[in-house]
Amino acid sequence: TTASPPHIALLPSAGMGHLTPFLRLASMLSSRSCTVTLITASPSVSASESSHISFFLSQHPLVKHIEFQVIPSKPSSNPTTDDPFFLQFEATNRSVHLLYPSLASASPPISAIFSDFAVASSIAPVAADLGIPNYIISTTSCKFFCLMAYLPVLLSDPWSFSSSLSEVNIPGITPLPLPSIPPPFKNPSHLLTSLIATDAQALSKAKGILMNTFDDFEPETLTAIKSGRVLDNLPPILPIGPLETFEPKKKQDQSYLPWLDSQPAESVVYVSFGSRTALSSAQIRELSKGLERSGYRFLWVLKTSKVDKDDKEELKDLLEESFLDRTKNKGRVVMGWVSQQDILEHPAIGGFLNHCGWNSVMEAARKGIPMLAWPQHMDQSVNAEVVEKAGLGIWERKWGWGLEGLVSGEEIGKKIVELMEDEKLRGLARKVGENAGKATGIGGKSEKVLTEVLEYLEQ
Ligand code: BUP
């Protein structure tokens, strides 16, 4: 009998930064004739997650959907954080065992589960009971993945994050400067830290780690982790990025696109800090000054709350009318969801001021767009260093964590000019884009890795 394509169940965790790569992979698998089941937790934290899930399913009628109810956490039970995304990670982990019956009765039988790092510990026993392999999907840089995988070892030594040290050492990879470590990691009882450490301990049970990155982007770190120098008990590391985007045109306000059409090539700075960072109102004002001072054209996506359901403010409450007036021919400020895809693809975009959420980094890499990195929280400082080293962008380390300080408009303006005028950077970034294209093209390294995994899983 001839082998038939596998049935793959995909289980993302909370937040657009996690959902997005899963939807992309689901689309890629479906177009390679796999049967795909998308598993989503309900209720979702943000409105963008639920609307993207529905939209995705409407575009992919063959993809099956399992929605499972998460058992919410009691607000008082986690004194270390009130971040709704972290609370959902925890709630999802506690609820994953409920999936067993629907996965066991799936037809055709499920060949493998591809699940988020953030559910590694809870899905491992489910996959074992089903007798099928589990692949972990890493939605961050390989370098930050190394930090998470190695976190249990670091936490076992009280000196690891001591402020008397300037860097954190992980075998095989270049040391991480202490300021790049996400602050919660320094507190072993922080909910996020304990979840990540528990998930890290389950990694050895996985069949492989699929990563949204590519060999040429993080060559040294990938070589180190693949050769077992970081930890000797990890399963194969499988870079398959940058993941292809599927997003066809969605019905949303895209009034910024005709405006972009009328701007000169590579003249516009695109500014976005991702789906869950709301800058302080003081920082929003400084950023507006910086954009104006730089003299460059801009498209700025502005968010005012961590979870989109809480968005209430209006543009006129956040920015002075005089600013909006003065810059009306030079820039656009947009609130709400934009199609970052369409924006980064647009020839008018010449630079990207961004927080270094990993999806954004991979999207910029695909298009070879130079970045000005301004990490806000979590993996973003480590990612910023990766971006800088890969030649995709510049990073002003002294700005620190965006959410913790205040950077003046003057400094921001100067740095934007540097981003837009650095021809060497533009050339290097373009090269990154070419390499990304090679990796995912036919016969490319990332494409081959994915093909091999799917061949292995054929039934
Ligand atoms: Br905001 C926004 N439109 O308006 P990241 C984001 N995106 O298409 P984050 C839009 O969401 P984490 C918008 O292209 C990317 O694919 C964007 O993921 C898209 O950052 C995704 O870049 C956002 O990883 O997630 O949202 O901060 O905290 O997990 O890094």
Side-chain angles (χ1 to χ4, degrees), residues 7 37 64 66 98-110 126 129-130 132:
H7 179 181
T37 294
K64 300 166 193 282
I66 297 177
L98 300 173
L99 285 167
Y100 180 83
S102 41
L103 295 178
S105 61
S107 165
I110 294 178
V126 176
D129 286 350
L130 291 164
I132 57 175

Side-chain angles (χ1 to χ4, degrees), residues 52-364:
H52 276 78
I53 292 166
S54 326
F55 180 70
F56 174 86
L57 293 168
S58 73
Q59 299 286 310
H60 297 83
L62 293 177
V63 170
K64 300 166 193 282
H65 187 208
I66 297 177
E67 194 174 40
F68 76 112
Q69 299 296 315
V70 292
I71 312 161
S73 42
K74 293 191 203 77
S76 56
S77 62
N78 292 299
T80 57
T81 184
D82 59 1
D83 185 304
F85 294 99
F86 299 163
L87 293 175
Q88 181 89 340
F89 286 175
E90 192 269 339
T92 309
N93 258 311
R94 241 183 319 102
S95 316
V96 155
H97 66 98
L98 300 173
L99 285 167
Y100 180 83
S102 41
L103 295 178
S105 61
S107 165
I110 294 178
S111 332
I113 303 175
F114 287 8
S115 58
D116 201 293
F117 178 96
V119 292
S121 63
S122 56
I123 200 72
V126 176
D129 286 350
L130 291 164
I132 57 175
N134 172 218
Y135 289 78
I136 304 293
I137 311 267
S138 163
T139 58
T140 182
S141 55
C142 180
K143 185 141 195 192
F144 192 77
F145 176 87
C146 290
L147 172 61
M148 293 196 295
Y150 198 68
L151 192 58
V153 183
L154 293 171
L155 293 174
S156 68
D157 175 358
W159 290 101
S160 295
F161 299 130
S162 155
S163 51
S164 62
L165 305 172
S166 59
E167 37 187 47
V168 172
N169 285 293
I170 297 177
I173 68 171
T174 50
L176 295 149
L178 195 63
S180 293
I181 304 296
F185 284 10
K186 295 170 192 166
N187 173 6
S189 56
H190 192 286
L191 176 69
L192 183 72
T193 309
S194 66
L195 285 172
I196 291 179
T198 309
D199 288 324
Q201 273 152 335
L203 289 175
S204 59
K205 301 194 181 101
K207 186 79 190 165
I209 317 283
L210 295 161
M211 285 194 183
N212 185 17
T213 188
F214 55 108
D215 279 296
D216 286 320
F217 201 65
E218 298 185 79
E220 289 163 22
T221 313
L222 279 162
T223 305
I225 194 171
K226 283 181 190 174
S227 67
R229 270 183 278 154
V230 176
L231 285 165
D232 59 13
N233 64 350
L234 291 176
I237 302 295
L238 306 162
I240 57 166
L243 294 173
E244 275 161 39
T245 53
F246 73 90
E247 289 98 307
K249 302 274 176 283
K250 222 178 130 176
K251 271 201 258 77
Q252 57 195 350
D253 173 26
Q254 299 226 58
S255 53
Y256 46 86
L257 287 180
W259 178 77
L260 277 181
D261 288 342
S262 59
Q263 308 308 314
E266 297 183 347
S267 70
V268 178
V269 193
Y270 169 47
V271 183
S272 170
F273 297 98
S275 65
R276 46 197 271 196
T277 295
L279 300 180
S280 67
S281 44
Q283 189 62 80
I284 289 175
R285 270 193 307 280
E286 292 305 315
L287 180 50
S288 72
K289 286 186 207 158
L291 286 166
E292 195 174 357
R293 265 168 186 266
S294 78
Y296 276 93
R297 296 176 169 83
F298 60 86
L299 174 57
W300 178 9
V301 184
L302 186 54
K303 274 186 60 69
T304 57
S305 56
K306 190 184 265 181
V307 180
D308 54 11
K309 291 172 183 164
D310 302 334
D311 287 343
K312 286 190 256 317
E313 269 145 310
E314 289 181 54
L315 217 47
K316 61 174 176 22
D317 309 329
L318 297 160
L319 294 167
E320 287 168 21
E321 220 169 289
S322 54
F323 164 79
L324 295 169
D325 254 3
R326 285 194 306 273
T327 57
K328 68 172 181 293
N329 296 321
K330 276 238 138 144
R332 283 282 179 281
V333 186
V334 186
M335 295 186 78
W337 195 261
V338 297
S339 170
Q340 181 156 304
Q341 213 43 55
D342 294 343
I343 294 171
L344 289 175
E345 254 163 41
H346 200 288
I349 300 297
F352 187 13
L353 168 52
N354 179 256
H355 67 314
C356 291
W358 193 247
N359 294 293
S360 294
V361 171
M362 282 296 106
E363 290 158 13

